[in-house]
Amino acid sequence: MLRLLIHPFFYVGIILILLQYRKQIQLERKLFHARLHYVAAEAWRLLIWGIAAGLASSVVMAFLGASLTPEAVLLLWGVSAVLILFRIRFLCMAYAAGVLGAVQAVLEWYPAGADSEGAAWLYRWMDHVDAPGLIALAGVLHMAEALLIRYQGSRAASPLFFESKRGKVVGGYHMYGFWPLSLFLLVPVTGADAGGLSLPWTPLFGSGMAVGGWTVLAMPVVLGFTERTLSRLPAEKARRSSSLLMLYSALVVGFALLAHWVPVLLILAAVVTIGLHEALVWLSSWEEAKRTPLFVHSEHGLKILAVLPGSPAAEVGIVAGEIIHKVNGYRVRTKDELHLAMQTNPAYCKMEILNLDGQAKFVSRALYSGEHHQLGLLLCPDEDARYVVEERQRISLLSYVFRSMSGMSEKRESKPM
């Protein structure tokens, strides 16, 4: 525990996460002139949930086992460093573990290569790598990520304006979440006189390497995800992503076990780990492309994109995705009509809202000086929207460093009058 607290990467990860949240909050204020999230609150939330997820993952890995050696850690970092030169989202243990698994399978097919001067070092290093154990660890970490997304994935979702494929400005959410995990992994001690711990159970991976017992390794890990949704509410999108990621993690752990028991299947486990991860990315984009945008105004009224926390609208139970049908008895279809209807009674506001099921509900509240001019309601964009954000594909590490950390960028839209 003490070595973890003095580990520099633990604090570097926290600082980078906080900078990411700060950048996203600044973008929200630029677009909506309001603050939906607070850095301090997000920091405490991500720390608490990260600690809980780290401990849970450590318990699971205590029974699975993890044969992490200095050679394995260095190879993981090296492979990750090479992969992010091509695409920043490849900074994921699933890709690094999958690549190492494929390399180990190929080396086992060609044992004669160990006599080659150029490849002898790779054979020596890979002898200290338990590729099925690394793949299983990647699966467990994705399982923890799936649970974090399900219960916390929608908390930090940012409402933004996007340009659809048809050129129309629509509302949507940029969902993101980052959690620093503290893993305490059982590691086999290879020396017979090393004096490691003896366990009352036998971990599935690495038990043959634990000649001198087991020791504990503290390892900081950062989990994170980003999603964009134009067709679902954040909570619904989080549940969908969580379910798919949980299925993926279960398959990865299952194939890792098969590769451990039947070594010839290691190449299959590596391909499944990488291929299914890419399939998740493709499936999310494909589902969003085929679905109709949700956050657009309709003939029934004004669609609500988001509600400011602690605002009058939040107090009366208005939520994102509902439609403002009438205000003070007047039908509203534009923002100008909304403002005129609210001015008919500056001291009190009565609204007829169409909920997510299309049923009418009535809310009312007194208006006080200094409150948000729209009761804390952030509406979907119309033809007068001045800014949209476009998603950029990160193709290299340098593009990630020198461009916006949020993965989004503003551009001014000139609309005809």
Side-chain angles (χ1 to χ4, degrees):
M1 177 67 74
L2 292 177
R3 294 193 64 178
L4 178 68
L5 293 178
I6 64 175
H7 201 297
F9 290 112
F10 181 72
Y11 297 99
V12 169
I14 293 177
I15 292 174
L16 291 177
I17 291 173
L18 293 180
L19 289 175
Q20 170 70 28
Y21 280 104
R22 181 175 178 271
K23 188 68 176 181
Q24 199 69 19
I25 291 172
Q26 289 178 341
L27 182 58
E28 292 175 354
R29 297 191 68 177
K30 182 177 181 65
L31 293 179
F32 302 108
H33 306 286
R35 177 177 293 183
L36 284 82
H37 303 97
Y38 296 87
V39 174
E42 297 300 328
W44 280 109
R45 182 174 61 84
L46 66 91
L47 280 175
I48 293 174
W49 281 89
I51 291 173
L55 293 177
S57 301
S58 300
V59 171
V60 174
M61 288 307 301
F63 291 94
L64 289 179
S67 300
L68 282 180
T69 61
E71 292 83 0
V73 174
L74 289 175
L75 286 173
L76 282 174
W77 277 96
V79 171
S80 298
V82 173
L83 290 177
I84 60 176
L85 295 177
F86 299 94
R87 189 70 63 84
I88 192 63
R89 65 181 178 83
F90 290 164
L91 185 59
C92 174
M93 189 172 180
Y95 294 103
V99 169
L100 290 179
V103 169
Q104 191 171 81
V106 172
L107 295 182
E108 290 177 355
W109 292 343
Y110 300 98
D115 298 329
S116 173
E117 294 183 1
W121 68 271
L122 182 58
Y123 279 83
R124 290 195 302 269
W125 278 50
M126 291 303 296
D127 284 340
H128 298 279
V129 175
D130 179 22
L134 292 182
I135 293 176
L137 178 58
V140 171
L141 290 177
H142 280 80
M143 192 175 299
E145 181 182 344
L147 294 175
L148 289 170
I149 293 174
R150 177 171 292 273
Y151 296 107
Q152 293 290 304
S154 62
R155 291 288 300 271
S158 291
L160 298 174
F161 296 166
F162 298 93
E163 186 175 7
S164 67
K165 291 185 176 181
R166 297 182 179 180
K168 183 179 180 180
V169 181
V170 300
Y173 278 86
H174 176 54
M175 300 175 59
Y176 58 99
F178 303 93
W179 302 273
L181 269 64
S182 302
L183 292 180
F184 300 95
L185 302 176
L186 289 175
V187 179
V189 178
T190 56
D193 300 326
L197 301 173
S198 60
L199 301 177
W201 68 90
T202 301
L204 293 178
F205 296 101
S207 58
M209 300 177 64
V211 180
W214 296 83
T215 186
V216 178
L217 172 68
M219 180 179 176
V221 176
V222 175
L223 296 183
F225 90 107
T226 58
E227 288 273 11
R228 188 185 72 167
T229 179
L230 308 179
S231 60
R232 286 186 169 100
L233 292 170
E236 180 186 358
K237 181 67 173 181
R239 290 192 298 269
R240 173 65 174 169
S241 299
S242 174
S243 299
L244 291 174
L245 194 58
M246 183 64 72
L247 177 61
Y248 166 79
S249 62
L251 290 174
V252 168
V253 173
F255 275 93
L257 290 173
L258 288 176
H260 175 69
W261 292 324
V262 186
V264 72
L265 297 179
L266 177 58
I267 186 64
L268 178 60
V271 171
V272 166
T273 301
I274 298 176
L276 288 185
H277 201 284
E278 285 294 293
L280 288 180
V281 176
W282 174 84
L283 180 60
S284 178
S285 301
W286 179 75
E287 286 185 339
E288 286 294 329
K290 75 170 185 176
R291 292 172 61 93
T292 303
L294 174 64
F295 298 100
V296 294
H297 299 306
S298 70
E299 59 181 9
H300 301 293
L302 298 174
K303 179 67 69 71
I304 299 170
L305 177 59
V307 179
L308 294 179
S311 64
E315 293 178 4
V316 298
I318 300 177
V319 298
E322 295 182 332
I323 297 175
I324 305 174
H325 184 58
K326 289 183 179 181
V327 176
N328 293 330
Y330 294 91
R331 288 283 303 273
V332 292
R333 298 182 182 86
T334 65
K335 293 181 180 179
D336 291 336
E337 292 179 352
L338 172 63
H339 296 155
L340 290 174
M342 293 184 65
Q343 291 174 3
T344 60
N345 190 348
Y348 202 78
C349 182
K350 297 171 60 178
M351 288 187 175
E352 181 180 345
I353 305 292
L354 301 182
N355 63 18
L356 300 178
D357 296 325
Q359 303 298 319
K361 70 176 183 180
F362 300 89
V363 298
S364 59
R365 190 185 184 278
L367 303 180
Y368 300 99
S369 176
E371 292 183 333
H372 192 271
H373 67 287
Q374 290 181 171
L375 302 179
L377 296 172
L378 302 181
L379 302 177
C380 293
D382 53 21
E383 65 275 5
D384 297 324
R386 298 180 59 192
Y387 292 96
V388 299
V389 293
E390 60 179 356
E391 189 174 12
R392 292 173 177 171
Q393 287 288 342
R394 302 299 186 184
I395 60 175
S396 68
L397 179 62
L398 293 178
S399 66
Y400 180 79
V401 172
F402 292 107
R403 295 180 184 178
S404 168
M405 290 182 61
S406 67
M408 316 297 290
S409 62
E410 306 102 325
K411 67 175 183 179
R412 185 178 297 274
E413 288 290 313
S414 58
K415 299 294 182 180
M417 298 299 293

